[in-house]
């Protein structure tokens, strides 16, 4: 009848009543909080002391204000009504914002909380994405009937791809509707947004009590973390002042004031101003906190008077009234300061040099004599000028080896034929005649867009041909194949054949930086950041950064209402290298996107322009080049860009002719690896002319005997799975006898694969033009969700 010792706690737990069990669970939670132990995986974040401290510090006296960005998702949604209700809180102090982001600050001493509300400009995509990078919470303003329109759908797609912080959904208005209809409309809207926001709650905003509930929800909700900003200090400019340099007024020192967030900010590190580039910091000041919950008694009256006129035009820069209270925290040390060097200066004499032999000198002299030519030149022309005169025969024979690899010969022939046809169709002066022109010019203006339609049609044809016949090209008739494809090689196996990653590198590779082991460097750097002692400006401090050599355009954009966002850079993040992004085509994009087209990248906290390469995402050591962005598979995008440590999200945009930016792909940063081998494949096709048991005569692959002999070592394959090799040429017109591992079918096609490694072009441009505001249309929700019946 003895009871085991392990079974007693369970029996006692069953014997406890409901109130005792609650009390016991409460005691256990308190003990775990004090000891720093979490009860389980699901509640680890909720109960850990670090998360609790972070949650309590946000918006408190010692932490930065709770930054809330208001995003309007429908043209009929009124943001000013929402802001007016939030400002009408009892015992709350409202202070108007200034400068670029504007907005207002809300101080609630009773709740011991302070917020800063900033409204993103409607249609300005860059401003919305920049503010979302640093926002603690996003407040989406919806329309009661339709939710969001097409512009709101485009904005949501970009925000979800970049990384969405904590958010709340608000529906203002609805007071003019009867209570029953308003409740039914709200229920249908809640059901319609379940797909986008599965666990979201709609907050009505028509009274002061509802706005107070919204504020409590914003301050108590769980904060969602974005990986690319958690390891970097950042701030949103609250005030800014530009001091021009003495030698040139276009450059100067930019004094940016704001609250430090996430990580301490070091004065010797570099900062990145989003959209403008990387800069050095010379000094960090500590002015008085303009959003203090309980200012000092001595200067409280003076500071309150200053805050009353904070939004006036006389204090645009926001630093004139507080210069006497500014305290210098730290100054940069030139010996410890990070360098702005982004590229390696290549030394052309760095390679191994050997003195030429007498035979090589004689060959060089003979080649110079062979290259001499007789040219008719005007009288008085020097030898240097005569060397630049090109004959008509030589002008047509010279070709650029790099460009003919980028554009296939068949595309060049089609372009030339179109030019010839258009030139033949143009009537001469003798054939011209008079005709009456219609007064209506709409048809002529409409026909001006036909050129873009023809170009788009040609792209659709190229994409379709690449899907039907991947990598297949026609052998040129006027140029020998051994000359046209001299940079290509054959491989026994694309998967197992070796390829040296350091072979025949371009000159641009001498300008980039490369890690010996990127993943190891990244782990060591992140571990060092976690163990590093806190130095510099701590999180929550209101500081003023003195940023050196900043162009005056940064201050002009801040005065125009653009947000000014600063991020601190980790070591090596200002240096150029080869970045690889793993992206997937966005469902809203249907137009073909060809490789090496100029695209706009939003990578983490950076944005830039570049012409990327597309390649397959595999686990092999070689990756095949893709000529178009595939809609059904994830591809790797390769560009020259500054080093960024993953994780970091990436958005790819394409600029239209009218200035609008279309989202074409989303993904994340894969690696920083210049040794990633991207292989371009060309497939030459031929047709069996005579078929024997295991031998066949193939034609139309080559058109001269020398080409057959040149490509004889390369292995052949067919579309139906046969493999073989070239035995010998037949005749002088490109026919060849081939041997296969089985008998061919008459409808089979013989293929020969050629490979060449390709590299991205150095087209990196950190200056991205501002997009044209998105044109709003009707609701973007599906019809079955929008209908109210």
């Amino acid at each position: 009848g003895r009871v085991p010792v392990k079974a007693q706690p369970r029996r006692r737990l069953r014997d406890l009543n409901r109130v005792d069990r609650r009390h016991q669970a409460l005691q256990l939670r308190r003990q775990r909080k004090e000891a720093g132990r979490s009860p389980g995986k699901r509640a680890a974040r909720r109960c850990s002391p670090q998360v609790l401290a972070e949650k309590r510090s946000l918006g408190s006296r010692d932490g930065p204000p709770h930054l809330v960005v208001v995003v309007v998702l429908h043209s009929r949604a009124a943001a000013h009504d929402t802001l007016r209700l939030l400002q009408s809180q009892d015992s709350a102090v409202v202070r108007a914002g200034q400068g670029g982001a504007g907005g207002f600050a809300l101080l609630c001493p009773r709740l011991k909380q302070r917020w800063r509300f900033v409204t993103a400009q409607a249609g300005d995509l860059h401003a919305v994405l920049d503010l979302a990078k640093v926002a603690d919470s996003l407040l989406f303003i919806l329309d009661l009937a339709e939710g969001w329109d097409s512009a709101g759908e485009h904005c949501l797609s970009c925000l979800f791809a970049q990384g969405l912080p904590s958010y709340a959904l608000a529906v203002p208005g609805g007071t003019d509707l009867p209570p029953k209809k308003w409740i039914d409309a709200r229920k249908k809207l809640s059901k319609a947004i379940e797909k986008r926001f599965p666990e979201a709650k709609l907050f009505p905003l028509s009274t002061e009590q509802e706005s107070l509930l919204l504020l409590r929800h914003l301050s108590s909700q769980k904060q969602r973390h974005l990986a690319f900003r958690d390891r970097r200090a950042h701030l949103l400019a609250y005030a800014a002042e530009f001091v021009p340099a003495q030698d040139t007024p276009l450059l100067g020192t930019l004094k940016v004031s704001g609250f430090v967030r996430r990580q301490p900010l070091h004065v010797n590190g570099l900062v990145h101003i989003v959209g403008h580039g990387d800069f050095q910091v010379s000094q960090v000041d500590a002015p008085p906190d303009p959003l203090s919950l309980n200012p000092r008694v001595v200067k409280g009256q003076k500071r309150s008077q200053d805050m009353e006129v904070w939004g006036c035009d006389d204090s645009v820069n926001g630093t004139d009234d507080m210069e006497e209270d500014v305290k210098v925290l730290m100054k940069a040390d030139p010996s410890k300061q990070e360098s702005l060097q982004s590229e390696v200066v290549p030394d052309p004499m760095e390679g191994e040099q050997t003195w030429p032999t007498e035979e090589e000198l004689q060959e060089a002299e003979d080649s110079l004599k062979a290259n001499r030519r007789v040219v008719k030149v005007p009288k008085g022309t020097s030898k240097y000028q005569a060397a630049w005169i090109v004959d008509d025969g030589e002008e047509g024979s010279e070709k650029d080896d790099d460009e003919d690899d980028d554009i296939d010969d068949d595309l060049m022939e089609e372009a030339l034929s179109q030019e010839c046809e258009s030139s033949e169709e143009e009537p001469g002066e003798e054939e011209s005649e008079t005709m009456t022109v219609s007064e209506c010019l709409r048809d002529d203006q409409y026909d001006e867009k036909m050129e873009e339609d023809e170009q788009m049609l040609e792209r659709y044809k190229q994409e379709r041909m690449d899907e039907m016949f991947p990598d297949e090209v026609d052998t040129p008739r006027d140029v020998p194949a051994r000359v046209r494809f001299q940079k290509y090689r054959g491989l026994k196996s694309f998967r197992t054949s070796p390829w040296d990653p350091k072979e025949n590198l371009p000159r641009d590779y001498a300008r980039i930086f490369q890690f010996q082991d990127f993943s190891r460097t990244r782990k060591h750097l992140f571990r060092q950041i976690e163990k590093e002692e806190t130095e510099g400006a701590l999180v929550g401090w209101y500081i003023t950064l003195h940023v050196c050599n900043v162009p005056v355009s940064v201050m002009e954009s801040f005065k125009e209402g653009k947000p000014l966002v600063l991020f601190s850079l980790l070591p090596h993040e200002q240096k150029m290298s080869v970045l690889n992004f793993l992206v997937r085509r966005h469902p809203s994009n249907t137009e073909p996107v060809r490789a090496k087209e100029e695209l706009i990248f939003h990578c983490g906290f950076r944005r830039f322009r570049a012409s990327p390469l597309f390649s397959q995402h595999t686990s092999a050591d070689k990756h095949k080049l893709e000529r178009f962005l595939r809609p059904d598979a994830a591809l790797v995008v390769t560009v020259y860009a500054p080093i960024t440590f993953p994780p970091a999200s990436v958005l790819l945009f394409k600029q239209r002719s009218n200035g609008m930016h279309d989202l074409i792909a989303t993904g994340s940063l894969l690696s920083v690896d210049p040794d990633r081998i991207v292989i371009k494949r060309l497939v030459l096709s031929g047709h069996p002319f005579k078929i024997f048991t295991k031998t066949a005569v193939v034609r139309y692959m080559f058109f001269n005997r020398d080409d057959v002999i040149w490509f004889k070592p390369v292995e052949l394959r067919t579309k139906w799975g046969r493999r073989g090799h070239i035995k010998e040429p037949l005749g002088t017109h490109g026919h060849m006898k081939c041997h296969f591992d089985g008998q061919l079918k008459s409808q089979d096609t013989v293929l020969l694969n050629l490979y060449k490694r390709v590299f991205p072009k150095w087209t990196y441009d950190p200056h991205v033009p501002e997009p044209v505001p998105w044109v709003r249309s009707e609701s973007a929700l599906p019809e079955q969700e929008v209908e109210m019946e």
Side-chain angles (χ1 to χ4, degrees):
R2 293 181 63 184
V3 180
V5 179
K6 293 183 179 180
Q8 288 181 358
R10 296 183 179 178
R11 178 175 294 181
R12 289 177 182 175
L13 185 62
R14 285 197 299 268
D15 294 341
L16 294 177
N17 57 17
R18 185 177 179 182
V19 178
D20 294 338
R21 288 197 303 270
R22 282 187 176 179
H23 184 63
Q24 187 179 25
L26 179 61
Q27 288 180 339
L28 290 175
R29 283 200 299 271
R30 287 178 179 175
Q31 292 176 3
R32 290 190 182 104
K33 286 182 182 180
E34 294 174 358
R37 295 192 302 268
S38 58
K41 293 182 179 180
R42 181 175 297 179
R45 282 195 170 187
R46 184 178 68 244
C47 296
S48 63
Q50 182 180 2
V51 174
L52 284 175
E54 179 185 355
K55 189 174 181 180
R56 289 167 182 169
S57 64
L58 182 63
S60 63
R61 181 187 62 181
D62 300 328
H66 194 131
L67 180 58
V68 181
V69 177
V70 181
V71 182
V72 181
L73 296 181
H74 200 283
S75 58
R76 289 203 299 264
H80 59 275
D81 295 339
T82 304
L83 301 179
R84 180 177 51 80
L85 284 174
L86 293 174
Q87 293 177 9
S88 61
Q89 299 295 324
D90 295 336
S91 69
V93 181
V94 180
R95 293 179 179 172
Q98 59 175 348
F104 65 93
L106 190 64
L107 308 178
C108 294
R110 182 170 60 89
L111 299 177
K112 297 182 180 180
Q113 289 286 326
R114 53 179 179 171
W115 293 272
R116 185 186 176 191
F117 289 87
V118 178
T119 305
Q121 295 182 2
D124 192 349
L125 183 62
H126 284 180
V128 175
L129 294 179
D130 291 347
L131 289 173
K133 289 180 175 67
V134 295
D136 297 316
S137 300
L138 295 180
L139 179 58
F140 293 116
I141 308 299
L142 306 178
D143 181 61
L144 182 61
E146 299 180 356
W148 56 80
D149 53 11
S150 60
E153 173 69 21
H154 181 68
C155 180
L156 285 177
S157 300
C158 298
L159 288 175
F160 272 92
Q162 178 180 264
L164 198 66
S166 303
Y167 60 88
L169 306 178
V171 183
T175 56
D176 53 345
L177 294 176
K180 190 173 185 310
K181 288 187 177 181
W182 189 89
I183 293 175
D184 293 342
R186 182 185 169 190
K187 286 183 179 179
K188 292 186 180 300
L189 181 59
S190 302
K191 187 177 180 181
I193 65 175
E194 284 182 357
K195 189 175 182 180
R196 273 287 192 184
F197 308 97
E199 299 179 357
K201 178 184 176 182
L202 278 176
F203 286 88
L205 275 181
S206 56
T207 61
E208 296 182 5
Q209 185 178 4
E210 292 173 346
S211 63
L212 181 60
L213 292 176
L214 177 61
L215 284 177
R216 289 183 180 273
H217 173 74
L218 289 174
S219 60
S220 62
Q221 69 176 346
K222 181 181 178 181
Q223 292 296 314
R224 304 176 66 178
H225 292 265
L226 299 182
F228 70 88
R229 74 178 185 183
D230 284 347
R231 292 184 174 91
R232 300 171 179 87
H234 56 272
L235 60 88
L236 176 64
Y238 189 81
E241 180 186 2
F242 184 78
V243 180
Q246 297 179 358
D247 50 353
T248 172
L250 300 179
L251 295 177
T253 301
L254 183 66
K255 299 180 181 179
V256 184
S257 301
F259 293 91
V260 183
R261 299 177 182 273
R262 295 296 177 184
Q263 294 290 338
L265 196 145
H266 304 272
V267 67
N268 293 323
L270 301 179
V271 295
H272 176 80
I273 301 179
V274 178
H276 298 282
D278 304 334
F279 304 95
Q280 289 180 333
V281 179
S282 61
Q283 181 178 329
V284 178
D285 299 339
D289 190 350
L291 304 180
S292 178
L293 283 174
N294 44 0
R296 296 177 182 177
V297 181
V298 179
K299 299 181 181 180
Q301 186 177 0
K302 178 184 176 182
R303 185 174 291 118
S304 62
Q305 293 175 359
D306 293 342
M307 292 306 132
E308 292 295 332
V309 295
W310 191 256
C312 298
D313 296 334
D314 298 336
S315 60
V316 175
N317 297 327
T319 56
D320 298 336
D321 299 335
M322 296 180 294
E323 285 185 354
E324 56 184 15
D325 297 334
V326 171
K327 177 183 177 182
V328 178
L329 285 180
M330 59 197 77
K331 291 187 178 182
D333 186 0
S335 60
K336 299 180 181 179
Q337 200 170 21
E338 287 283 345
S339 174
L340 282 173
Q341 181 184 3
S342 61
E343 300 178 16
V344 178
V345 180
D347 185 6
M349 304 299 293
E350 188 178 3
E352 183 181 357
Q353 301 292 322
T354 56
W355 190 259
T357 61
E358 295 181 0
E359 296 178 359
E360 293 176 349
L361 291 174
Q362 186 63 32
E363 289 178 2
E365 188 176 354
D366 294 341
S367 63
L368 288 175
K369 292 180 180 179
N371 291 332
R372 291 175 182 173
R373 52 195 172 87
V374 179
V375 184
K376 293 181 179 180
V377 297
K379 189 176 181 180
T381 305
S382 63
K383 292 183 179 180
Y384 177 79
Q385 293 173 338
W388 289 91
I389 298 178
V390 182
D391 294 340
D392 294 337
E394 293 182 0
E395 187 176 357
S397 62
E398 294 181 354
K399 290 187 177 180
D400 191 359
D401 294 334
D402 295 334
E403 293 297 328
D404 63 356
D405 290 333
D406 299 338
I407 305 175
D408 297 334
D409 288 341
D410 52 350
L411 302 180
M412 295 175 64
E413 291 175 2
E414 291 178 6
L416 290 174
S417 62
Q418 290 179 2
E419 291 181 1
C420 294
E421 291 175 3
S422 62
S423 62
E424 291 175 0
E425 292 175 359
E426 292 179 358
E429 296 181 357
E430 295 82 7
E431 300 177 358
S432 61
E433 59 181 3
T434 59
M435 58 185 301
T436 305
V437 181
S438 174
E439 296 180 357
C440 182
L441 299 177
R442 292 182 180 178
D443 295 338
D444 297 339
Q445 295 176 356
Y446 185 82
D447 291 339
E448 291 177 357
K449 301 179 181 180
M450 293 303 295
E451 295 182 1
E452 297 180 3
D453 293 344
E454 291 177 358
Q455 294 177 1
M456 189 60 63
L457 178 61
E458 187 64 29
R459 288 186 179 181
Y460 278 115
K461 288 182 180 180
Q462 295 175 11
E463 186 182 26
R464 179 62 176 166
M465 290 296 293
D466 189 62
E467 291 178 0
M468 296 175 61
F469 307 100
D471 303 324
E472 290 192 31
V473 297
D474 294 334
T475 306
R477 300 289 300 272
D478 54 345
V479 181
R482 62 185 182 277
V483 177
R484 170 64 180 86
F485 307 117
Q486 61 183 349
K487 295 185 178 181
Y488 291 81
R489 68 179 70 173
L491 294 179
K492 179 69 175 176
S493 172
F494 183 80
R495 184 178 61 87
T496 60
S497 296
W499 197 301
D500 187 7
K502 304 297 184 181
E503 178 187 0
N504 294 333
L505 296 179
R507 291 182 178 270
D508 290 336
Y509 265 52
R511 303 165 57 185
I512 65 174
F513 292 85
Q514 183 177 2
F515 296 96
Q516 188 174 3
D517 189 348
F518 177 73
S519 60
R520 181 181 177 183
T521 304
R522 173 178 169 271
K523 291 179 181 178
H524 175 72
L525 182 62
F526 288 171
R527 196 181 300 114
Q528 185 179 3
I529 293 175
E530 293 176 359
K531 296 180 180 179
E532 191 177 39
E533 295 182 359
T534 56
E535 296 180 358
L538 300 183
V539 179
W541 287 7
Y542 183 78
I543 63 172
T544 299
L545 292 177
H546 294 246
V547 188
C548 306
N549 297 325
V550 179
V552 69
S553 58
V554 179
M555 189 64 192
E556 292 176 354
S557 65
F558 181 70
K559 291 180 178 179
E560 291 175 359
K562 307 291 183 182
L564 185 60
V565 179
L566 280 78
F567 274 84
S568 65
L569 295 182
L570 299 179
H572 312 296
E573 284 195 330
Q574 79 278 12
K575 302 173 182 176
M576 296 291 292
S577 187
V578 179
L579 272 63
N580 303 303
F581 306 98
L582 180 61
V583 302
R584 187 177 291 272
R585 190 167 172 176
H586 197 262
S588 63
N589 176 256
T590 57
E591 298 180 358
V593 181
R594 192 178 177 89
K596 297 185 181 179
E597 287 188 20
E598 187 182 73
L599 301 178
I600 298 172
F601 289 75
H602 286 244
C603 175
F605 54 89
R606 294 185 186 271
R607 61 171 176 260
F608 55 89
R609 290 187 294 177
S611 300
L613 292 179
F614 301 147
S615 59
Q616 294 180 350
H617 178 52
T618 59
S619 59
D621 60 341
K622 295 181 290 296
H623 312 273
K624 193 179 80 69
L625 176 76
E626 291 289 346
R627 288 176 170 81
F628 290 89
L629 187 62
R630 302 293 182 187
D632 54 349
L635 297 180
V636 176
V637 176
T638 304
V639 293
Y640 290 108
I643 294 172
T644 303
F645 289 97
S649 60
V650 61
L651 286 76
L652 269 65
F653 293 89
K654 185 178 179 181
Q655 187 172 3
R656 294 186 194 173
S657 58
N658 58 1
M660 295 180 63
H661 291 179
D662 291 336
L663 180 63
I664 63 171
T666 60
S668 59
L669 177 60
L670 180 64
S671 64
V672 181
D673 186 13
D675 288 342
R676 191 177 190 274
I677 302 175
V678 180
I679 302 296
K680 180 180 180 179
R681 183 181 71 174
L682 286 185
V683 180
L684 305 181
S685 59
H687 302 277
F689 178 50
K690 295 179 181 179
I691 300 176
F692 302 98
T693 305
K694 287 189 177 182
T695 309
V697 178
V698 180
R699 60 179 179 179
Y700 300 150
M701 183 178 288
F702 304 109
F703 298 100
N704 59 72
R705 184 183 182 89
D706 295 336
D707 288 345
V708 178
I709 298 174
W710 179 269
F711 290 100
K712 187 177 179 180
V714 184
E715 186 182 13
L716 301 176
R717 69 176 183 88
T718 67
K719 288 189 175 182
W720 286 24
R722 296 297 181 188
R723 293 186 175 272
H725 60 275
I726 302 173
K727 291 187 66 176
E728 58 180 351
L730 299 177
T732 60
H733 290 77
H735 289 209
M736 56 187 181
K737 183 188 292 186
C738 304
H739 183 78
F740 295 92
D741 57 356
Q743 188 173 11
L744 297 185
K745 301 293 183 181
S746 60
Q747 61 269 33
D748 203 351
T749 305
V750 182
L751 305 175
L752 184 142
N753 295 337
L754 299 175
Y755 303 95
K756 183 191 71 168
R757 185 180 179 184
V758 292
F759 302 90
K761 292 185 176 181
W762 195 288
T763 56
Y764 171 78
D765 185 6
H767 304 289
V768 178
E770 293 293 333
V772 175
W774 188 267
V775 179
R776 293 185 178 270
S777 61
E778 296 299 325
S779 169
L781 294 177
E783 293 183 0
Q784 63 270 19
E785 298 178 355
V786 176
E787 292 179 357
M788 306 303 291
E789 296 182 2

